[in-house]
Amino acid sequence: MLRTGHTFPLFILLFTAPSASAVQLSAGLDRTEAQLGDQLMLTISVEGAQQTTAPNLPPLDDFEVYSAGTSTSMQIINGRSNLSVNHRYVLLAKQAGIFTIGEISLEIGGKTYTTDPIRVKILPADQPATKPQNNDDAFITATLSKHDLFRYEGLVYTFRFYQRINVGEARPEWPDFHGFLTDDLGQQHSYETVRHGSRYVVTEIKKILFPQQAGTLSIQPTKLHCKIPVKDSRQRRRRSPFDDFFSSPLDELMGNYKLEPRVLSSKPLTINVRDLPDKPEDFSGLVGSFSLTGDMSKKQMQVGESTTLTLTVRGTGNVQAIPEPIVSNLEHFKVYPDKPTGKVNPLSDNLSGHRTFKKALVALKEGRLQIPGARLVYFNPVSERYETAQTPPFDLEVLPSSGTEELKLTEMISPSNGKVAVKILGEDLLPPHEGLASLEPQSSTAATKSFGLGGFVLPGLLHIALLLTRKRKAALAGDIALRRRKSALTKAKSRLKELRALNPDHQKRELVESASRLLREYLGDMLNTEGTAMTAAESAELLNRLNLRKEIVSEVHDLLKTLESTLYASNQNNEINPVQLDKRIDHILQTLSKEISKTVVRS
Amino acid sequence: MPTIKSIACILVITISGSTRLVAAEPADNPRSQPVTTDQHPKILHNANEAYQQGDHGRAIRLYTQLLESGLENGHIYYNLGNSLLREGRLGRSIAAYLKSARLMPRDQDVRTNLQFARKSIKDAVEPIKPSTLTKTLFFWHYSLSLRELYLVLGAAGLLFWTGMTIRLYRRESEIFRWVVMTLLIVLLAAGGSVATHTFFPERIVVITDKSAKIHSSTNQKSTVLFELHEGTEAELLQQENNWLKIRLSDGKKGWLQSDRAYILQ
């Protein structure tokens, strides 16, 4: 049975080749009026072309341009297929005004196609566009807690990311907050809210900013790079009676959406920062609301003993910058300051915190001593005045020393302080390396390379050579025939030398006998057989079995035959000439060695 | 596996000699005589003094003079990186630190200053670096310089083959067998690393202009896909005329004009 539901569209596709229709290039924006900070989607459509390159965009200096990908779709109407390729770009205007996006060109098949220019109106950030933003599935906002404030006064920058649908791979790109000191204000958190009748999931991130300069400061937009699911136009098709029957629920749920990259942007913000009025000489640099408390661990002590003066500054504002309060009139004490400790807590709209300063004071003089109260001058932005936080004076009674002077400094390093995390106050480059190690070459020189590669390869080759030699020796030791063949020539040559020492005139018989034995033993060694009793006919038969050349076989046969005749027969016609004998034998030895070795290797 | 194109690219880069970190500048030696090894300590001393006195421009010239005289040393690249960063030349300082890290991969100061420099990069793009798992598995590849790898290769080769030869003549103990096996592993590891450095070198591009547009093709009129800023690092995929095809750590690709970046080989 034909499974119509899935094969039918495929069947249609197979029999509808894309028709060669005219190429059309068009470009459009999703809207022609927007606010500064809104994103515009520029879609460039190419219809009727199978393959296209990326279009050439005109100079777009007034916009930030991000590619949002390319999609392809095919429509089949009455058997005619129409292929369209959409190139999408996200545009973010850099300033308000009326802009023209010039002609966009694309070369297809040697012909250049262009689009008409597009005009777009960008309104200032605070002026609403006449048309609402049509893509409100996800958007971001950035707000400030104050727009008019004093220098060093904290303000909260709140970033909110609204999403009505599930947005993927969201990544914020923060502005550089030029002119501000910044700190995170708590962790990011999410909640739900209803906006324009729709339920949104909101992710909120807060930062606290402390302006470091007076004047009008601007904060560039925060951008959020993300991927938004959009309906995939390629999946749309006319519904047929088969659709309900064959479409799967999963396809409905998943198949009709694709993720499209987007860049969401908040609006740029400006604030007016007022400089602080005439600063008093002892101004601490703090702006906010602060209090100061003080305590002396002992009010009576002997000369040489120590007491701990503890000063704690608490408040709200730029608490990271709390300096040590001013304490004067300490000339009768030896002072050992301890490291300050403290904590910063984020509030909903500011930073609060405290910092504790401890000093061990060792009395140097007896008598009733008074330390004036500690002071801290700060600016209160609510009252718009400089205010002073101070402690009451500290009275001490110092008695004469009872014994040897002993400085009890343990009180200063009180373990009850607890340990605190080291706060990085500043960062800088580590200093240059000045040692003479800087003058030693560290790159891989030719010598290093030679050592590395040589050490890797050469001993390996030597080892292989050694291995082969040992193998050869072992083979010789186990193979008698091979050993005999290998040593045959050497042995024969040594005998030949002895033979040459004989006098052909006086030792003719010994000469012939030795020559005959030499030749037969040589043949015996070469052919791995008993050679001493070998006849000329036997030697020819054995040599013929090795398919040696006829000439050499007959030469060996003839010589052996002649030698036999000389020794045993009375026929003087066959007597051999002893003068040429050694040369004939030498020739036979050389030739046979070569030929028999070749034959053995071949076999 | 690298394609023939990418191998050709390596050759082109090598031949073109685009390894100079700082463009040719007048050296302290007005007659531009070649610097000899004897002069190195004096030039180094002067360069360090110039850095300490805040004359970073002179320090850069002197450190460059040392490097151009053929002295390849990680400390010099590190000092040059410091001077370039103090001069506000972020991209070239990062390139110098990367060069230094290749010669002294275990130096903590280089890593610290490189991290410090990277904090000033505008683009939120992670630098090209191997995963922690890869770095752990192939720790020797990332903690030894090429020179050290060559030395390990040579020493391990000599010891391994000596051990193999001894095995031919005497009965080996269990410990001896383990030693030879360990040497073989060291030999293969060092050999693999040297081969990787030689045939598949890591090619990094560091943006040296304040900003650089990344195009869709090797044509200035082509679409600008995105923009990168000084100091951002990318992987070099291909080189064509005066254009470099790069890939960021998040996978974005595009073409960049070669005069806007420094190629680190």
Side-chain angles (χ1 to χ4, degrees), chain A residues 54-57 65 67 89 171 427-435 437-444 448-449 451-453 455-456 459-460 463 466-467 470, chain B residues 41 48 51-52 71-76 78-79 82 85-86 97 104 107 109 112-113 116 119 146-147 150-151 154-155 157-158 161 164-165 168-169 187 222-223:
Chain A
N56 290 322
L57 296 181
V65 184
S67 173
Y89 297 89
R171 177 173 58 81
E427 273 191 296
D428 198 4
L429 281 177
L430 294 176
H433 293 172
E434 296 185 349
S438 308
L439 298 174
E440 289 165 11
Q442 289 178 330
S443 62
S444 41
T448 330
K449 285 179 185 171
F451 174 73
L453 298 175
F456 177 59
H463 179 81
L466 196 65
L467 211 64
R470 278 171 62 85
Chain B
N48 291 339
Y51 181 89
Q52 298 297 0
L71 178 69
E72 280 276 294
N73 183 288
H75 297 289
I76 304 285
Y78 165 83
N79 292 352
N82 279 5
L85 196 59
R86 293 275 190 224
Y97 287 136
M104 305 190 301
D107 192 292
D109 287 5
T112 307
N113 281 8
F116 181 81
K119 282 181 187 169
L146 185 57
R147 176 191 165 88
Y150 269 119
L151 292 176
L158 279 171
W161 289 115
M164 288 295 283
T165 308
L168 294 177
Y169 293 99
L187 186 67
S222 64
T223 308

Coordinates of all heavy atoms in Angstrom, one line a residue, chain A residues 54-57 65 67 89 171 427-435 437-444 448-449 451-453 455-456 459-460 463 466-467 470, chain B residues 41 48 51-52 71-76 78-79 82 85-86 97 104 107 109 112-113 116 119 146-147 150-151 154-155 157-158 161 164-165 168-169 187 222-223:
Chain A
A54 N 26.5 36.8 -0.5 CA 25.9 37.8 0.3 C 25.8 39.1 -0.4 O 26.7 39.4 -1.2 CB 26.8 38.0 1.6
P55 N 24.7 39.8 -0.2 CA 24.6 41.1 -1.0 C 25.6 42.1 -0.5 O 26.0 42.1 0.7 CB 23.1 41.5 -0.6 CG 22.8 40.8 0.6 CD 23.6 39.5 0.7
N56 N 25.9 43.1 -1.3 CA 26.8 44.2 -0.9 C 25.9 45.3 -0.3 O 25.1 45.9 -1.0 CB 27.5 44.7 -2.2 CG 28.5 43.7 -2.6 OD1 29.2 43.0 -1.8 ND2 28.6 43.6 -4.0
L57 N 26.1 45.5 1.0 CA 25.4 46.6 1.6 C 26.1 47.9 1.4 O 27.3 48.0 1.2 CB 25.3 46.3 3.1 CG 24.6 45.1 3.6 CD1 24.7 45.0 5.1 CD2 23.2 45.1 3.1
V65 N 25.6 47.3 12.4 CA 24.9 46.2 11.6 C 25.4 44.8 12.1 O 26.6 44.6 12.3 CB 25.4 46.4 10.1 CG1 24.6 45.4 9.3 CG2 25.0 47.8 9.7
S67 N 24.8 40.6 11.3 CA 24.2 39.6 10.5 C 23.2 38.8 11.3 O 23.6 38.3 12.4 CB 25.2 38.8 9.8 OG 24.6 37.7 9.1
Y89 N 19.6 41.2 8.4 CA 20.5 41.9 9.2 C 19.8 42.7 10.3 O 18.7 43.3 10.0 CB 21.3 42.9 8.3 CG 22.1 42.3 7.2 CD1 21.6 42.0 6.0 CD2 23.4 41.9 7.5 CE1 22.3 41.3 5.0 CE2 24.2 41.3 6.5 CZ 23.6 41.0 5.3 OH 24.4 40.3 4.4
R171 N 23.0 36.7 26.1 CA 24.3 37.2 26.6 C 24.3 38.7 26.6 O 24.3 39.3 25.5 CB 25.4 36.6 25.7 CG 26.8 37.1 26.1 CD 27.8 36.4 25.2 NE 27.6 36.6 23.8 CZ 28.1 37.7 23.1 NH1 28.7 38.6 23.8 NH2 27.8 37.8 21.8
E427 N 45.2 46.8 40.6 CA 45.9 45.8 39.8 C 46.9 46.6 38.9 O 46.6 47.7 38.5 CB 44.9 45.1 38.9 CG 44.3 43.9 39.5 CD 43.6 43.0 38.5 OE1 42.6 43.5 37.9 OE2 44.0 41.9 38.3
D428 N 48.0 46.0 38.7 CA 49.0 46.6 37.8 C 49.9 45.5 37.2 O 49.8 44.3 37.6 CB 49.9 47.6 38.6 CG 50.6 48.5 37.7 OD1 50.4 48.5 36.4 OD2 51.4 49.3 38.1
L429 N 50.6 45.9 36.2 CA 51.5 44.9 35.5 C 52.6 44.4 36.5 O 53.0 45.2 37.3 CB 52.2 45.6 34.4 CG 51.5 45.8 33.1 CD1 52.3 46.5 32.1 CD2 51.1 44.4 32.5
L430 N 53.0 43.2 36.4 CA 54.2 42.7 37.1 C 55.4 43.3 36.4 O 55.4 43.6 35.2 CB 54.2 41.2 37.1 CG 53.1 40.5 37.8 CD1 53.2 39.0 37.6 CD2 53.1 40.9 39.3
P431 N 56.5 43.6 37.2 CA 57.6 44.3 36.7 C 58.4 43.5 35.6 O 58.2 42.3 35.5 CB 58.5 44.5 37.9 CG 58.1 43.5 38.8 CD 56.7 43.2 38.6
P432 N 59.2 44.2 34.8 CA 60.0 43.4 33.8 C 61.0 42.5 34.4 O 61.4 42.6 35.6 CB 60.7 44.6 33.0 CG 60.7 45.7 33.9 CD 59.6 45.6 34.9
H433 N 61.4 41.5 33.6 CA 62.5 40.6 34.0 C 63.8 41.2 33.7 O 64.1 41.4 32.5 CB 62.3 39.2 33.3 CG 61.0 38.5 33.7 ND1 60.6 37.4 33.0 CD2 60.1 38.8 34.6 CE1 59.4 37.0 33.6 NE2 59.1 37.8 34.6
E434 N 64.6 41.4 34.7 CA 65.9 42.1 34.4 C 67.1 41.2 34.4 O 68.2 41.7 34.1 CB 66.0 43.3 35.4 CG 64.9 44.3 35.2 CD 65.1 45.5 36.1 OE1 65.9 45.5 37.0 OE2 64.4 46.5 35.9
G435 N 67.0 40.0 34.8 CA 68.2 39.1 34.9 C 68.8 38.8 33.6 O 68.2 39.0 32.5
A437 N 69.2 36.0 32.4 CA 68.5 34.9 31.7 C 67.8 35.4 30.5 O 67.5 34.6 29.6 CB 67.5 34.3 32.7
S438 N 67.6 36.7 30.4 CA 66.9 37.3 29.3 C 67.8 37.2 28.0 O 67.3 37.5 26.9 CB 66.6 38.8 29.5 OG 65.9 38.9 30.7
L439 N 69.0 36.9 28.2 CA 69.9 36.9 27.0 C 70.3 35.5 26.6 O 71.1 35.3 25.7 CB 71.2 37.7 27.4 CG 71.0 39.1 27.7 CD1 72.3 39.8 28.2 CD2 70.5 39.9 26.5
E440 N 69.6 34.5 27.2 CA 69.9 33.1 26.7 C 68.9 32.8 25.6 O 67.7 33.0 25.9 CB 69.7 32.1 27.9 CG 70.8 32.3 28.9 CD 70.5 31.6 30.2 OE1 69.5 30.8 30.2 OE2 71.2 31.8 31.1
P441 N 69.3 32.3 24.5 CA 68.3 31.9 23.4 C 67.4 30.8 23.9 O 67.9 29.9 24.5 CB 69.2 31.5 22.3 CG 70.5 31.2 22.8 CD 70.7 32.0 24.1
Q442 N 66.1 31.0 23.6 CA 65.2 30.0 24.1 C 64.4 29.3 23.0 O 63.6 28.4 23.2 CB 64.1 30.6 25.0 CG 64.7 31.0 26.4 CD 63.7 31.7 27.2 OE1 62.8 32.4 26.7 NE2 63.8 31.6 28.5
S443 N 64.7 29.8 21.7 CA 64.0 29.2 20.6 C 64.7 27.9 20.3 O 65.8 27.6 20.7 CB 63.9 30.1 19.4 OG 65.3 30.4 19.0
S444 N 64.0 27.0 19.5 CA 64.6 25.8 19.1 C 65.6 26.0 18.0 O 65.3 26.3 16.8 CB 63.6 24.8 18.6 OG 62.6 25.4 17.9
T448 N 69.6 22.3 18.8 CA 68.5 21.6 19.5 C 67.8 20.6 18.7 O 67.5 19.5 19.1 CB 67.5 22.6 20.1 OG1 68.2 23.8 20.3 CG2 66.9 22.1 21.4
K449 N 67.4 21.1 17.5 CA 66.7 20.2 16.5 C 67.5 19.0 16.2 O 67.0 17.9 16.1 CB 66.3 21.0 15.3 CG 65.1 22.0 15.5 CD 64.8 22.7 14.2 CE 63.8 23.8 14.5 NZ 63.5 24.6 13.4
F451 N 69.9 17.6 17.9 CA 70.0 16.7 19.0 C 68.7 15.9 19.2 O 68.7 14.7 19.3 CB 70.2 17.5 20.3 CG 70.2 16.7 21.6 CD1 71.2 15.8 21.9 CD2 69.1 16.7 22.4 CE1 71.1 15.0 23.0 CE2 69.0 15.9 23.6 CZ 70.1 15.1 23.9
G452 N 67.5 16.6 19.0 CA 66.2 15.9 19.2 C 66.0 14.9 18.2 O 65.7 13.7 18.5
L453 N 66.1 15.3 16.9 CA 65.9 14.3 15.8 C 67.0 13.3 15.7 O 66.7 12.1 15.5 CB 65.7 15.1 14.5 CG 64.6 16.1 14.5 CD1 64.6 16.9 13.2 CD2 63.2 15.4 14.6
G455 N 68.9 12.2 18.2 CA 68.7 11.2 19.3 C 67.6 10.3 19.1 O 67.6 9.2 19.6
F456 N 66.6 10.7 18.3 CA 65.4 9.9 18.1 C 65.7 8.9 16.9 O 65.4 7.7 17.0 CB 64.3 10.8 17.7 CG 63.0 10.1 17.3 CD1 62.4 9.3 18.1 CD2 62.5 10.3 16.0 CE1 61.2 8.6 17.8 CE2 61.3 9.7 15.6 CZ 60.7 8.8 16.5
P459 N 70.3 6.5 17.0 CA 70.5 5.3 17.8 C 69.5 4.2 17.3 O 69.8 3.0 17.4 CB 70.1 5.7 19.2 CG 70.2 7.2 19.2 CD 69.9 7.6 17.8
G460 N 68.3 4.6 16.8 CA 67.4 3.6 16.3 C 67.9 2.9 15.1 O 67.8 1.6 15.0
H463 N 70.6 0.5 16.2 CA 70.0 -0.6 16.9 C 69.5 -1.6 15.8 O 69.7 -2.8 16.0 CB 68.9 -0.2 17.8 CG 68.2 -1.3 18.5 ND1 68.7 -1.9 19.6 CD2 67.1 -2.0 18.2 CE1 67.9 -2.8 20.0 NE2 66.9 -2.9 19.1
L466 N 72.4 -3.5 14.3 CA 72.9 -4.5 15.2 C 72.0 -5.7 15.2 O 72.5 -6.8 15.2 CB 73.0 -3.8 16.6 CG 73.8 -4.5 17.6 CD1 75.3 -4.5 17.2 CD2 73.7 -3.8 19.0
L467 N 70.7 -5.4 15.2 CA 69.7 -6.5 15.2 C 69.9 -7.4 14.0 O 69.8 -8.6 14.1 CB 68.3 -5.8 15.2 CG 67.2 -6.6 16.0 CD1 67.6 -6.7 17.4 CD2 65.9 -5.8 15.8
R470 N 73.0 -9.5 14.2 CA 72.8 -10.7 15.1 C 71.9 -11.7 14.4 O 72.1 -12.9 14.6 CB 72.1 -10.2 16.4 CG 73.2 -9.6 17.4 CD 72.5 -8.9 18.5 NE 71.7 -9.8 19.3 CZ 72.1 -10.6 20.3 NH1 73.4 -10.5 20.6 NH2 71.3 -11.4 20.9
Chain B
P41 N 74.1 42.6 26.6 CA 73.9 43.0 28.0 C 73.7 44.5 28.2 O 72.8 44.9 28.9 CB 75.2 42.6 28.7 CG 75.7 41.5 27.9 CD 75.4 41.9 26.5
N48 N 65.9 48.1 30.1 CA 65.3 48.0 31.4 C 65.3 49.4 32.1 O 64.3 49.8 32.8 CB 66.0 47.0 32.3 CG 65.8 45.6 31.8 OD1 64.9 45.3 31.0 ND2 66.7 44.7 32.1
Y51 N 62.6 51.6 30.7 CA 61.3 51.2 31.2 C 61.1 51.7 32.6 O 60.0 52.3 32.8 CB 61.2 49.6 31.2 CG 59.9 49.1 31.7 CD1 58.8 48.9 30.8 CD2 59.7 48.9 33.0 CE1 57.6 48.5 31.2 CE2 58.4 48.4 33.5 CZ 57.4 48.2 32.6 OH 56.2 47.8 33.1
Q52 N 62.1 51.6 33.4 CA 61.9 52.1 34.8 C 61.7 53.6 34.8 O 61.0 54.1 35.7 CB 63.2 51.7 35.7 CG 63.4 50.2 35.8 CD 62.3 49.5 36.5 OE1 61.3 50.1 36.9 NE2 62.4 48.2 36.7
L71 N 68.0 37.2 18.9 CA 67.9 36.7 20.2 C 66.4 36.4 20.5 O 65.6 37.3 20.6 CB 68.4 37.7 21.2 CG 68.3 37.3 22.7 CD1 69.2 36.2 23.0 CD2 68.6 38.5 23.6
E72 N 66.0 35.1 20.4 CA 64.7 34.7 20.7 C 64.6 34.4 22.2 O 65.0 33.3 22.5 CB 64.3 33.5 19.8 CG 63.9 33.9 18.4 CD 62.5 34.3 18.3 OE1 61.6 33.5 18.5 OE2 62.3 35.5 17.9
N73 N 64.0 35.2 23.0 CA 63.9 35.0 24.4 C 62.6 35.4 25.0 O 62.1 36.5 24.7 CB 65.1 35.7 25.1 CG 65.2 35.4 26.6 OD1 64.3 35.9 27.3 ND2 66.1 34.6 27.0
G74 N 62.0 34.6 25.7 CA 60.7 34.8 26.3 C 60.7 36.0 27.2 O 59.7 36.8 27.3
H75 N 61.8 36.2 28.0 CA 61.8 37.4 28.9 C 61.8 38.7 28.1 O 61.2 39.6 28.6 CB 63.1 37.3 29.7 CG 63.2 36.1 30.6 ND1 62.4 35.9 31.7 CD2 64.0 35.0 30.5 CE1 62.7 34.8 32.3 NE2 63.6 34.1 31.6
I76 N 62.5 38.7 27.0 CA 62.5 39.9 26.2 C 61.1 40.2 25.7 O 60.7 41.4 25.7 CB 63.5 39.8 25.0 CG1 64.9 39.5 25.5 CG2 63.6 41.1 24.2 CD1 65.7 40.6 26.2
Y78 N 58.4 39.3 27.0 CA 57.6 39.7 28.1 C 57.8 41.2 28.5 O 56.9 42.0 28.6 CB 58.0 38.8 29.3 CG 57.5 39.3 30.7 CD1 56.2 39.0 31.1 CD2 58.4 40.0 31.5 CE1 55.8 39.4 32.4 CE2 58.0 40.4 32.8 CZ 56.7 40.1 33.2 OH 56.3 40.6 34.4
N79 N 59.1 41.6 28.5 CA 59.4 43.0 28.8 C 58.9 43.9 27.7 O 58.4 45.0 28.0 CB 60.9 43.2 28.9 CG 61.5 42.5 30.1 OD1 60.7 42.0 31.0 ND2 62.8 42.4 30.2
N82 N 55.2 44.4 28.2 CA 55.0 45.4 29.3 C 55.1 46.8 28.8 O 54.3 47.7 29.0 CB 56.0 45.2 30.4 CG 55.7 44.1 31.4 OD1 54.7 43.4 31.2 ND2 56.5 43.9 32.4
L85 N 52.3 47.7 26.4 CA 51.0 47.9 27.2 C 51.1 49.3 27.8 O 50.1 50.0 27.8 CB 50.8 46.8 28.2 CG 49.4 46.7 28.8 CD1 48.4 46.5 27.7 CD2 49.3 45.6 29.8
R86 N 52.2 49.7 28.4 CA 52.3 51.0 29.0 C 52.2 52.1 28.0 O 51.7 53.2 28.3 CB 53.7 51.1 29.7 CG 53.9 50.2 30.8 CD 53.4 50.8 32.1 NE 53.8 50.1 33.3 CZ 53.0 49.8 34.3 NH1 51.7 50.2 34.3 NH2 53.4 49.1 35.3
Y97 N 53.1 39.0 24.6 CA 52.9 38.1 25.8 C 52.7 36.7 25.2 O 53.2 35.7 25.8 CB 51.8 38.5 26.6 CG 52.0 39.7 27.5 CD1 51.1 40.8 27.6 CD2 53.2 39.9 28.2 CE1 51.3 41.9 28.4 CE2 53.5 41.0 29.0 CZ 52.5 42.0 29.0 OH 52.8 43.1 29.8
M104 N 58.2 30.5 27.1 CA 58.2 30.2 28.6 C 56.8 29.8 29.0 O 56.2 30.6 29.7 CB 58.7 31.4 29.3 CG 60.0 32.0 28.8 SD 60.7 33.2 29.9 CE 59.4 34.4 30.0
D107 N 55.8 30.2 32.8 CA 56.1 31.4 33.6 C 54.8 32.1 34.0 O 54.0 32.4 33.3 CB 56.9 32.4 32.7 CG 57.5 33.5 33.5 OD1 56.8 34.3 34.0 OD2 58.7 33.5 33.6
D109 N 54.5 35.0 35.6 CA 54.4 36.4 35.4 C 53.8 36.7 34.0 O 53.0 37.6 33.8 CB 55.8 37.0 35.4 CG 56.4 37.1 36.8 OD1 55.7 36.6 37.7 OD2 57.5 37.7 37.0
T112 N 50.1 36.2 34.2 CA 49.4 37.2 34.9 C 49.3 38.5 34.1 O 48.2 39.1 34.0 CB 50.2 37.5 36.2 OG1 50.5 36.3 36.9 CG2 49.5 38.5 37.1
N113 N 50.4 38.9 33.5 CA 50.3 40.1 32.7 C 49.5 40.0 31.4 O 48.8 40.9 31.0 CB 51.7 40.6 32.3 CG 52.4 41.3 33.5 OD1 51.9 41.3 34.6 ND2 53.6 41.8 33.3
F116 N 46.0 40.4 32.6 CA 45.8 41.8 32.9 C 45.5 42.5 31.6 O 44.6 43.4 31.5 CB 47.1 42.3 33.6 CG 47.0 43.8 34.0 CD1 46.3 44.2 35.1 CD2 47.5 44.8 33.2 CE1 46.2 45.5 35.5 CE2 47.4 46.1 33.5 CZ 46.8 46.5 34.7
K119 N 42.1 42.0 30.0 CA 41.0 42.7 30.7 C 40.6 44.0 30.0 O 39.5 44.5 30.1 CB 41.3 43.0 32.1 CG 41.2 41.8 33.0 CD 41.5 42.2 34.4 CE 41.5 40.9 35.3 NZ 42.1 41.1 36.6
L146 N 58.9 24.4 22.6 CA 59.4 23.5 21.5 C 60.8 23.1 21.7 O 61.2 21.9 21.5 CB 59.2 24.3 20.2 CG 59.5 23.5 18.9 CD1 58.7 22.2 18.8 CD2 59.3 24.3 17.7
R147 N 61.6 24.0 22.2 CA 63.0 23.7 22.5 C 63.1 22.6 23.5 O 63.9 21.6 23.3 CB 63.7 25.0 23.0 CG 65.1 24.8 23.4 CD 65.5 26.1 24.1 NE 66.8 26.0 24.9 CZ 68.0 26.2 24.4 NH1 68.1 26.5 23.2 NH2 69.0 26.0 25.1
Y150 N 62.2 19.3 22.0 CA 63.3 18.7 21.2 C 64.3 18.0 22.2 O 64.8 16.9 21.9 CB 64.0 19.8 20.4 CG 63.4 19.9 19.0 CD1 62.8 21.1 18.6 CD2 63.4 18.9 18.1 CE1 62.3 21.3 17.4 CE2 62.9 19.0 16.8 CZ 62.3 20.3 16.5 OH 61.7 20.4 15.2
L151 N 64.7 18.7 23.3 CA 65.7 18.1 24.2 C 65.1 16.8 24.8 O 65.9 15.8 24.9 CB 66.0 19.1 25.3 CG 66.7 20.4 24.8 CD1 66.9 21.4 25.9 CD2 68.1 20.0 24.2
G154 N 65.3 14.1 22.2 CA 66.7 13.6 22.0 C 67.1 12.7 23.1 O 67.6 11.6 22.9
A155 N 66.9 13.2 24.4 CA 67.4 12.4 25.5 C 66.6 11.1 25.7 O 67.2 10.0 25.9 CB 67.2 13.3 26.8
G157 N 65.1 9.5 23.3 CA 65.5 8.6 22.2 C 66.8 7.9 22.5 O 66.9 6.6 22.3
L158 N 67.8 8.6 22.9 CA 69.1 8.0 23.3 C 69.0 6.9 24.3 O 69.5 5.8 24.2 CB 70.1 9.1 23.8 CG 70.8 9.9 22.7 CD1 71.5 11.1 23.3 CD2 71.7 9.0 21.9
W161 N 66.9 3.8 23.0 CA 67.6 2.9 22.1 C 68.7 2.2 22.8 O 69.1 1.0 22.5 CB 68.0 3.6 20.9 CG 66.9 4.0 20.0 CD1 66.5 5.2 19.7 CD2 66.0 3.1 19.3 NE1 65.4 5.2 18.8 CE2 65.1 3.8 18.6 CE3 65.9 1.7 19.2 CZ2 64.0 3.3 17.9 CZ3 64.9 1.1 18.5 CH2 64.0 1.9 17.8
M164 N 67.2 -0.6 24.7 CA 66.8 -1.7 23.7 C 68.0 -2.5 23.3 O 68.0 -3.7 23.2 CB 66.2 -1.1 22.5 CG 64.8 -0.5 22.7 SD 63.6 -1.8 23.1 CE 63.3 -2.5 21.5
T165 N 69.2 -1.8 23.2 CA 70.4 -2.5 22.8 C 70.9 -3.4 24.0 O 71.3 -4.5 23.7 CB 71.5 -1.5 22.4 OG1 70.9 -0.6 21.4 CG2 72.7 -2.2 21.8
L168 N 69.4 -6.8 24.2 CA 69.9 -7.8 23.3 C 71.0 -8.7 23.9 O 71.2 -9.8 23.5 CB 70.5 -7.1 22.0 CG 69.6 -6.4 21.1 CD1 70.3 -5.7 20.0 CD2 68.5 -7.3 20.6
Y169 N 71.7 -8.1 24.9 CA 72.9 -8.8 25.4 C 72.7 -9.3 26.8 O 73.5 -10.1 27.2 CB 74.1 -7.8 25.4 CG 74.5 -7.5 23.9 CD1 74.1 -6.3 23.3 CD2 75.3 -8.4 23.2 CE1 74.4 -6.0 22.0 CE2 75.6 -8.1 21.9 CZ 75.2 -6.9 21.3 OH 75.5 -6.6 20.0
L187 N 59.1 9.1 24.7 CA 59.6 9.3 23.3 C 58.4 9.6 22.4 O 58.5 10.5 21.6 CB 60.4 8.1 22.9 CG 61.1 8.1 21.5 CD1 62.2 9.1 21.6 CD2 61.6 6.8 21.2
S222 N 32.4 44.4 0.3 CA 31.6 43.3 0.8 C 31.0 43.6 2.2 O 31.4 44.5 2.8 CB 32.3 42.0 0.8 OG 33.4 42.1 1.8
T223 N 30.0 42.8 2.5 CA 29.2 43.1 3.8 C 30.1 43.0 5.0 O 31.0 42.1 5.1 CB 28.1 42.0 3.9 OG1 27.4 42.0 2.7 CG2 27.2 42.3 5.1

